[in-house]
Amino acid sequence: MESNWPVKRALVSVSDKERIVELCKFLEKIGVEIISTGGTRDVLTKNGIVSLDITSITGSPEAFNGRMKSLSFNISSALLFRRDCPRDLSMAKELDIEAIDLVICNLYPFLETVQRTSDLDSIVENIDIGGPTMLRAAAKNYKWVTTICSPDDYDSLIENLTSNEGTIDSTFRKNMAAKAFQHTSRYEIAVSEHMGKLLTDRLPSELYFSGENMNLRYGENAHQSARFLGDKSRWETLQGKELSYNNILDADAAYKCCLELTYELKNKYSCTIIKHSNPCGVASSEDGLDAITRAWNGDKISAFGSILCINDLFTLEMANFLSDKFVEVIIAKDFSAQALELLSKKKNIRVLKRDFNEELSRDYSVRDVLGGLLIQKRDCEYSNTISKVSGDQDIDRDLFIFGQITAKYLMSNAISLVQSDKGALELVGAGMGNPNRFVSISQAVTKAKENGVSDFSKCLLTSDAFFPFKDSIEFISQTGLRNIVQPGGSIRDEEVISASKKANINMYFTGMRHFRH
């Protein structure tokens, strides 16, 4: 029968020194012998707390700049031998192993280091080896050993030792062991995920999730439960309630599209407006307010209840522009105090601050299917090579990139119509999500006409995939469009190119398809 177990010796080795002095003073006061390592022992000594150097237990010095210190036969044995097994007790006495009853350990800040730097050497040095070993050994022997892996549990430990007169009850030991196993599991998953990305470009052979595991109010619809698994620290919520499932999906699309434009159009501010995962407004300009205005005017009706993202300081003028408009979420590089004051009058708007210096995520995306998951590398590419196959007109490089990125974020079959106006780039029409590419073209043209486009010769049409038949080119030619970008690769490419030449259309091949289902 499990019972309370006394604490006579404690091993303390912490990366996070928060409140460790307070805890160890308590342990010292109740007569617990403390064993500690390098940096932890330095802190304890400076605060007048006596502790044994771990090297006096291991019999070996700390080596290799701290890489080797706690891994040892003596330490692991002191944690692992069974206190109710006569054979283990006899062997421990024979080997001069003295029990350790309490382990207080938290791990090197691996995730914090990954978020702070991309320097591989710094990241590698923050992969903890000895810490997880000590935690798992102590947790495995939970019948007699208590494992504390977070400062959040120091008060509970003190309370348990106090109320039980220097012993710890079995329920607390079990709870702390379970927490330690979860803690080391999340840590190893984080190391596996990030080191896998840094050391190889292969897809993971198994799928894990590190970071937060947070319940959402519901999924896409109210009758569906949902959770968020991942790194919530990538954005800072300045106002509004928690993001919903749909908010997160659309905010992710808005941010990624805006981030790609930020990288490619370095001299411009870009604004993306997303509704149901599709861009309904995108613009890039030398002025942030102009970018928002042009993006909003791309589809004023669809923009109702949308997600808006801009890679600029969100100013009072921008807040005034949106004052009579409804958006669910605003994402920006930062917000002025005056803008936040005005936005605070609309309590339901989520206001998110996000860094636009992030690297484009090139890891993998996951989709569920009945019976399993589909995993693929993210589509973070687009062509910088302009390959003209018909016509004699050169294309503006920024417009060429802008058209590809906007088309890439539309659901297939995707058609984006973009134009350059007074130095700004804007999405003036889009067609997406249709089984028939011809219908998407028609949608994009209709929307452009609604937006006041009368001279289509100034527009660029970008298709996410090739044109399988020349009928699309014949329809496009009737609108006055003179510039088309597509990946090419159809068995009827020559037929399509011939139709383009006949219609005096400039056509450019990228060699890169961008389906988004």
Side-chain angles (χ1 to χ4, degrees):
M1 179 178 177
E2 295 177 14
S3 60
N4 290 12
W5 194 260
V7 174
K8 297 180 180 179
R9 300 177 93 210
L11 173 56
V12 184
S13 179
V14 292
S15 175
D16 180 358
K17 308 296 192 295
E18 178 188 353
R19 298 187 59 209
I20 196 61
V21 171
E22 175 190 343
L23 176 59
C24 287
K25 281 184 176 179
F26 169 80
L27 294 175
E28 188 178 53
K29 181 179 178 181
I30 65 173
V32 175
E33 183 178 48
I34 299 171
I35 305 162
S36 60
T37 60
T40 302
R41 189 163 187 261
D42 289 343
V43 170
L44 298 184
T45 301
K46 287 177 183 177
N47 285 274
I49 299 169
V50 176
S51 64
L52 288 175
D53 190 332
I54 195 171
T55 60
S56 66
I57 308 297
T58 64
S60 302
E62 287 194 20
F64 314 117
N65 198 29
R67 277 189 165 204
M68 188 68 179
K69 55 189 173 187
S70 60
L71 289 172
S72 78
F73 177 84
N74 288 350
I75 293 294
S76 295
S77 297
L79 295 172
L80 284 167
F81 80 84
R82 292 159 292 189
R83 277 53 160 176
D84 66 347
C85 175
R87 185 175 179 182
D88 281 15
L89 291 168
S90 175
M91 187 172 289
K93 185 176 181 180
E94 179 185 337
L95 296 170
D96 197 24
I97 301 296
E98 189 174 351
I100 295 174
D101 312 298
L102 170 65
V103 170
I104 301 165
C105 176
N106 50 61
L107 308 179
Y108 291 170
F110 178 80
L111 275 175
E112 293 83 348
T113 304
V114 169
Q115 292 165 6
R116 176 177 53 81
T117 181
S118 59
D119 179 63
L120 186 56
D121 288 339
S122 298
I123 292 170
V124 166
E125 289 309 312
N126 278 279
I127 299 174
D128 205 322
I129 304 300
T133 301
M134 289 189 293
L135 287 176
R136 289 175 66 82
K140 177 176 180 175
N141 220 19
Y142 68 87
K143 289 183 179 180
W144 303 280
V145 183
T146 303
T147 316
I148 303 294
C149 62
S150 169
D152 294 342
D153 296 311
Y154 291 176
D155 286 338
S156 297
L157 173 64
I158 292 171
E159 182 182 339
N160 206 282
L161 283 166
T162 301
S163 60
N164 292 310
E165 299 179 342
T167 67
I168 295 178
D169 65 63
S170 61
T171 300
F172 185 75
R173 293 197 304 272
K174 288 178 181 177
N175 288 339
M176 292 298 100
K179 186 169 184 176
F181 283 130
Q182 292 165 0
H183 181 61
T184 57
S185 173
R186 285 195 298 269
Y187 190 85
E188 297 299 344
I189 288 169
V191 172
S192 172
E193 283 186 348
H194 288 282
M195 294 308 294
K197 296 173 194 174
L198 291 170
L199 299 178
T200 178
D201 61 356
R202 291 177 298 179
L203 291 173
S205 57
E206 304 209 16
L207 184 64
Y208 305 99
F209 292 99
S210 61
E212 296 199 38
N213 188 335
M214 178 181 69
N215 283 320
L216 301 175
R217 286 179 297 148
Y218 53 81
E220 283 185 281
N221 303 290
H223 61 278
Q224 296 172 270
S225 60
R227 301 176 75 82
F228 170 77
L229 307 174
D231 184 6
K232 192 182 172 186
S233 69
R234 288 181 177 270
W235 65 82
E236 181 182 354
T237 303
L238 304 182
Q239 174 188 305
K241 53 191 176 183
E242 287 290 338
L243 295 169
S244 70
Y245 182 97
N246 293 333
N247 289 157
I248 292 173
L249 275 180
D250 286 351
D252 182 63
Y255 175 74
K256 286 192 294 193
C257 184
C258 197
L259 185 63
E260 292 200 38
L261 291 170
T262 303
Y263 270 82
E264 287 296 337
L265 309 176
K266 301 184 186 302
N267 62 334
K268 295 184 185 295
Y269 296 110
S270 295
C271 176
T272 55
I273 300 175
I274 300 291
K275 186 71 171 288
H276 297 309
S277 292
N278 282 297
C280 60
V282 184
S284 297
S285 173
E286 294 179 0
D287 177 77
L289 178 60
D290 184 55
I292 287 181
T293 304
R294 289 174 181 274
W296 190 271
N297 290 338
D299 193 338
K300 297 178 182 179
I301 295 175
S302 297
F304 179 87
S306 62
I307 311 290
L308 184 148
C309 179
I310 184 163
N311 60 349
D312 189 12
L313 173 70
F314 193 88
T315 63
L316 177 61
E317 291 75 17
M318 296 175 186
N320 278 323
F321 175 78
L322 293 176
S323 62
D324 60 346
K325 301 169 179 64
F326 172 58
V327 293
E328 292 272 4
V329 181
I330 300 173
I331 307 166
K333 187 175 182 179
D334 206 346
F335 293 80
S336 72
Q338 298 91 334
L340 286 174
E341 183 179 356
L342 184 57
L343 291 173
S344 69
K345 296 176 182 178
K346 294 185 175 184
K347 299 294 184 184
N348 289 329
I349 295 180
R350 286 90 162 174
V351 176
L352 308 181
K353 179 180 174 181
R354 186 137 194 193
D355 181 12
F356 282 85
N357 292 318
E358 286 189 52
E359 289 187 21
L360 290 170
S361 175
R362 299 180 185 275
D363 49 7
Y364 52 88
S365 63
V366 182
R367 296 281 296 271
D368 70 293
V369 293
L370 286 177
L373 299 172
L374 293 171
I375 306 174
Q376 66 174 348
K377 298 290 287 186
R378 291 197 185 279
D379 183 7
C380 296
E381 309 296 331
Y382 33 84
S383 175
N384 270 293
T385 303
I386 302 174
S387 178
K388 185 163 54 180
V389 294
S390 74
D392 56 6
Q393 183 176 314
D394 291 330
I395 189 173
D396 177 72
R397 182 261 178 196
D398 284 356
L399 190 64
F400 177 70
I401 296 295
F402 186 82
Q404 285 184 80
I405 293 176
T406 53
K408 183 156 72 85
Y409 280 91
L410 292 164
M411 294 294 182
S412 297
N413 287 311
I415 298 292
S416 77
L417 272 176
V418 300
Q419 71 175 12
S420 177
D421 179 56
K422 299 176 182 177
L425 308 174
E426 55 189 359
L427 177 67
V428 294
M432 76 296 285
N434 297 293
N436 187 322
R437 185 165 302 277
F438 192 93
V439 175
S440 290
I441 296 169
S442 180
Q443 272 186 349
V445 170
T446 299
K447 175 54 66 177
K449 288 179 179 178
E450 290 175 3
N451 287 332
V453 174
S454 56
D455 184 0
F456 281 86
S457 66
K458 297 179 180 179
C459 294
L460 171 67
L461 182 149
T462 303
S463 174
D464 66 342
F466 61 65
F467 293 99
F469 302 104
K470 67 177 182 178
D471 58 349
S472 295
I473 307 303
E474 291 168 349
F475 172 79
I476 290 169
S477 68
Q478 296 172 18
T479 67
L481 268 160
R482 290 292 175 264
N483 296 284
I484 296 175
V485 171
Q486 61 136 320
S490 168
I491 60 173
R492 297 185 179 86
D493 273 351
E494 288 305 318
E495 180 182 316
V496 171
I497 292 171
S498 177
S500 300
K501 290 178 178 178
K502 183 178 179 180
N504 195 26
I505 288 176
N506 303 291
M507 182 172 285
Y508 311 88
F509 278 10
T510 64
M512 189 175 292
R513 189 183 71 188
H514 293 291
F515 276 157
R516 184 167 177 253
H517 290 90

